[in-house]
């Protein structure tokens, strides 16, 4: 295995890596066929035993993680990256609890979504089935390895994990512990596989493995997500970029608006559901802005304001540049603008939002109705913080990511979003008439 | 506009075409925002008036179509292609009826899919919303122009149509008639747009217009579909390639099996739900094969058989090559093999199927259960013809295509499959606690 983080130095190495990734995908496809017909009992017992094994073998995990952390330090990784990388007994217990939570969730596989008897007597039903082989490309934190494996397995899928090279030793031990339990349960050893992580090309081979990989989900920063979505030829789900707005309407209650703004922006600044933009209706700006700017100042937030916001002033206000409206800061920064109307706010969000979460604060029921109908995003909050867009908060128990695209799944993705469907038709020798009935849209239909 | 069917002859022409496509997409995005909030009443009235306008203005359509047909003849288009291209009063009436059918279907937009009050009192609901801008890339028949426009509009979407150059005059008149009605109803003129069709590059610009186009659906042959899916950076839905199998189990009723085989293969050979492969359990081969080969012969079907099928013989039997198992003939041909067991049939289908429709004929309930659980396809038929996989037959009233991928939609795609979803949360100033609760999976979550 090459230890360089560069592209493979020779064509032969590239070819070898490609074959390695495709071979893993082929084995995953075989494993997926067995996992697809595993009962819930089997899958839940598997997850519980995985949780126990992680706790029991915590010293192995921590020993490997110590090496990753030391290597990270040596490579000059920033302290917050080191913190994300680090595993301790508490974090391992947290991963184990996550698996137990997933074990307790309903099995999505086999759920009958629709069903009817057709006029000709054919019995038709649409049932949930696993997706098959799920690829996850992620950065940083090794707990994603366990979370993603638990969710994909519970939904009956095989998983190909492509983590960060900085966590390689930790991820390798984690996957080997999970795999030991998989094998103990008589399930295929290839159900959970870690792909080579030292070469960006392994991502490319994974996301172009059409016919072997059914979906790829990138989890990480905007750059990673965009690269995966643009280069993938297997279906990909865009996740997690959140340029979220809080719009304070003319008829907002000011105290409510302040509480929601501060919670949306400053509760945790590094998460995708944090607000990055404040829009204030001009009719309430004089009353609202001074208090908002002052409270944001107390919370350590720098405001990148338009002309009117800068005029309202304050030690934490700087003039916004054109880029600010499109920036997901993930820091103690927020862009802020005064808008002349609700439609102007909607238009601003349409131009700059990332389709994650948009909030309105208003006591006007017409404004609430208009905003929630016209704003196109995974989640629209009326008089609530953007921070609520989260699988846990939405009662899903767990999530694999937050989709910001419109196909397949939008918003927090739980277990049902990790499945596909299948139509089953039961007949008695039914054949179709030769008339031109039907609406068949085949090439020559 | 260039009239060459080649790639643009200069870089400047390519840039101009690109800007033309992107400008159309931008206008479509604006139109989509208006369409998204159109009521069902408005949309249904629009579709009915479109239907009436098509019938009323049939002479214009036929005049344009005559020119396309003449040009096709001159270009040496095959007679079956000419037939697909041709429009007459009957076919125009058929398109109009299709629009009226769609008008009669329930509006998917606004349907509440899930909803609950969260423990903290936040009211949460998931509602259907339009996808936004839908791109359709299609070949041949101009009726797709009207079908696709009707379905996408009813689901609240704007549509960008990229039809075949051979139907350009027909499609131009059809879109201009539809647009006249759109404008009469006060809806945006850019709701339905026809893209330039003389240059393959316009497809590429369409399917890479990220941020402007929400989904692209190719409708046509395997080559078109594969090219679109592989090159698209906007989400694409793979449709319609059907390498469908009929598996005759050991315990099949022979008469039933013959009826289903003949209907699946020979009802219409050029459609994607036609059977292209016959698999026969070895225990029934001696009884079934001679009759099957003879009946297929009577139906004019050539059988590409494995060794045992060739031994069973007949004037219409030729030896299969390795490619036959993966070939979607769309003609009076079928590949046929004897398998030693049901698991062997499942394995054959896993290796060669396209995930469209797979059928088993059996009187054995265990075999039926096993096959339907283990075969991974959009539709599995038990004792029924593969020909039933069709939006019309499934009671959807209409379909935009048959998805053979696992993401978003699988099988016939009707109106609900042309929508996305949105979470709406209604609070009273709800903010989220600062604890580490939740399962947020953001980069730094």
């Amino acid at each position: 295995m090459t230890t360089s983080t560069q592209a493979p130095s020779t064509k032969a190495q590239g070819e070898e890596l490609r074959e390695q990734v495709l071979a893993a995908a082929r084995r995953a496809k075989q494993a997926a066929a067995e996992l697809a017909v595993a009962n819930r009992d089997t899958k839940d017992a598997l997850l519980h035993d995985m949780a126990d094994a992680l706790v029991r073998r915590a010293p192995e995990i921590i020993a490997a993680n110590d090496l990753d952390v030391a290597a990270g330090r040596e490579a000059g990784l920033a302290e917050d990256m080191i913190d994300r990388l680090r595993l301790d007994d508490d974090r391992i217990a947290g991963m184990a609890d996550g698996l137990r939570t997933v074990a307790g969730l309903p099995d999505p596989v086999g759920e009958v979504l629709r069903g009817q008897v057709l006029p000709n007597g054919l019995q038709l039903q649409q049932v949930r089935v696993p997706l098959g082989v799920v690829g996850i490309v992620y950065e940083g934190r090794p707990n994603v390895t366990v979370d993603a494996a638990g969710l994909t397995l519970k939904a009956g899928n095989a998983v190909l994990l492509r983590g960060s090279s900085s966590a390689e030793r930790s991820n390798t031990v984690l996957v080997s512990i999970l795999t030991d339990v998989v094998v103990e349960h008589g399930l295929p050893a290839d159900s959970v596989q870690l792909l080579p992580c030292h070469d960006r090309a392994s991502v490319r081979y994974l996301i172009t493995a059409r016919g072997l990989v059914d979906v790829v989900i990138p989890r990480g920063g905007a750059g990673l997500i965009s690269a995966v979505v643009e280069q993938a030829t297997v279906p990909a789900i865009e996740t997690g970029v959140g340029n979220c707005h809080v719009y304070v309407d003319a008829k907002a209650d000011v105290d409510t608006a302040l509480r929601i703004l501060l919670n949306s922006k400053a509760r945790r600044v590094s998460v995708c559901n944090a607000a990055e933009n404040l829009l204030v209706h001009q009719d309430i700006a004089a009353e609202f802005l001074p208090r908002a700017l002052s409270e944001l100042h107390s919370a350590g937030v720098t405001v990148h304001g338009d002309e009117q916001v800068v005029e309202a002033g304050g030690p934490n206000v700087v003039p916004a540049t054109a880029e600010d409206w499109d920036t997901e800061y993930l820091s103690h920064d927020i862009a802020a603008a005064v808008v002349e109307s609700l439609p102007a706010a909607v238009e601003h969000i349409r131009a700059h939002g990332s389709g994650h979460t948009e909030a309105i604060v208003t006591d006007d029921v017409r404004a609430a109705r208009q905003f929630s109908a016209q704003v196109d995003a995974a989640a629209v909050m009326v008089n609530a913080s953007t921070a609520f867009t989260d699988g846990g908060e939405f009662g899903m128990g767990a999530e694999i990511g937050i989709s910001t695209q419109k196909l397949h799944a939008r918003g927090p993705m739980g277990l049902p979003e990790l499945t596909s469907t299948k139509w089953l038709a039961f007949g008695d020798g039914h054949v179709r008439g030769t008339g031109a009935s039907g609406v068949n849209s085949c090439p020559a239909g």
Side-chain angles (χ1 to χ4, degrees), chain A:
Chain A
M1 184 189 299
T2 168
T3 53
S4 156
T5 56
Q6 308 301 311
S9 53
T10 69
K11 209 175 157 183
Q13 279 175 9
E15 199 44 55
E16 190 189 319
L17 180 63
R18 180 168 179 273
E19 190 39 51
Q20 206 177 341
V21 171
L22 292 183
R26 273 180 226 114
R27 294 193 305 267
K29 192 175 177 179
Q30 285 292 331
E34 279 191 58
L35 288 169
V37 292
N39 288 333
R40 172 169 183 183
D41 283 347
T42 306
K43 293 186 286 190
D44 289 354
L46 175 72
L47 295 183
H48 278 291
D49 287 354
M50 283 178 165
D52 295 344
L54 289 176
V55 172
R56 197 174 57 244
R57 296 172 63 176
E60 285 171 62
I61 301 169
I62 291 172
N65 185 250
D66 283 346
L67 296 175
D68 279 336
V69 168
R73 279 244 161 72
E74 200 163 316
L77 225 54
E79 206 46 45
D80 66 323
M81 298 298 285
I82 294 284
D83 179 58
R84 287 190 212 167
L85 182 56
R86 187 181 292 108
L87 292 177
D88 55 23
D89 284 326
D90 273 2
R91 287 187 175 177
I92 292 169
M95 295 192 290
D97 283 347
L99 290 175
R100 293 186 190 108
T101 301
V102 173
L105 296 173
D107 189 344
V109 175
E111 188 189 352
V112 179
L113 297 174
R114 292 188 263 183
Q116 59 179 317
V117 178
L118 299 179
N120 61 8
L122 202 61
Q123 284 182 297
L124 187 68
Q125 48 179 248
Q126 187 187 36
V127 299
R128 279 200 193 281
V129 296
L131 282 166
V133 178
V134 177
I136 316 265
V137 181
Y138 56 107
E139 292 169 336
R141 298 179 309 146
N143 65 312
V144 174
T145 307
V146 175
D147 291 355
L151 283 161
T152 48
L153 286 174
K154 172 81 181 219
N157 302 293
V159 64
L160 293 171
L161 297 161
R162 204 294 192 175
S164 122
S165 60
S166 65
E168 186 188 16
R169 297 170 190 86
S170 314
N171 287 339
T172 302
V173 170
L174 289 170
V175 169
S176 112
I177 293 172
L178 299 181
T179 299
D180 286 349
V181 183
V182 166
V183 172
E184 278 163 31
H185 281 260
L187 291 166
D190 298 313
S191 302
V192 181
Q193 294 179 72
L194 189 67
L195 297 177
C197 59
H198 280 283
D199 191 321
R200 269 165 194 269
S202 66
V203 175
R204 195 173 70 241
Y205 301 137
L206 170 68
I207 69 181
T208 55
R210 278 189 76 200
L212 296 175
V213 176
D214 294 289
V215 55
V216 63
I217 305 174
R219 277 181 58 167
L224 170 78
I225 291 162
S226 181
V228 167
V229 170
E230 288 191 3
Q231 292 167 29
T233 60
V234 305
I237 294 183
E238 208 158 338
T239 62
V241 176
N243 193 24
C244 307
H245 297 70
V246 173
Y247 166 60
V248 180
D249 185 48
K251 298 274 173 59
D253 175 74
V254 169
D255 289 329
T256 301
L258 288 170
R259 197 164 65 242
I260 288 175
L261 169 64
L262 268 290
N263 188 260
S264 298
K265 175 65 249 180
R267 176 184 165 274
R268 292 178 72 186
V269 298
S270 60
V271 291
C272 58
N273 58 25
E276 308 288 16
N277 276 275
L278 165 66
L279 301 173
V280 182
H281 192 289
Q282 61 182 4
D283 292 354
I284 203 171
E287 183 186 358
F288 178 76
L289 267 183
R291 286 185 60 190
L293 296 176
S294 159
E295 291 206 17
L296 287 168
H297 180 55
S298 303
V301 175
T302 299
V303 178
H304 304 251
D306 71 354
E307 211 171 302
Q308 286 175 268
V309 173
V310 169
E311 268 175 37
N316 58 324
V317 181
V318 300
T321 64
E323 292 74 45
D324 278 306
W325 311 115
D326 297 305
T327 301
E328 187 190 22
Y329 297 110
L330 298 173
S331 63
H332 284 81
D333 291 86
I334 193 167
V338 173
V339 292
E340 64 178 10
S341 63
L342 188 148
V346 169
E347 197 44 57
H348 184 105
I349 290 169
R350 186 169 295 142
H352 303 289
S354 65
H356 192 295
T357 302
E358 309 297 351
I360 180 174
V361 186
T362 189
D363 281 351
D364 177 348
V365 72
R366 288 177 188 272
R369 192 171 140 95
Q370 197 179 339
F371 187 87
S372 54
Q374 293 183 0
V375 167
D376 189 26
V380 176
M381 303 286 166
V382 177
N383 294 331
S385 169
T386 58
F388 285 111
T389 302
D390 175 303
E393 293 294 317
F394 278 14
M396 294 179 179
E399 69 177 31
I400 191 87
I402 295 179
S403 164
T404 52
Q405 69 174 38
K406 296 192 194 171
L407 227 55
H408 185 70
R410 201 174 189 206
M413 296 176 61
L415 288 172
E417 287 75 19
L418 284 169
T419 65
S420 181
T421 58
K422 173 156 85 173
W423 288 100
L424 296 176
F426 300 91
D428 269 321
H430 282 69
V431 295
R432 187 168 167 188
T434 50
S437 71
V439 291
N440 202 286
S441 62
C442 297

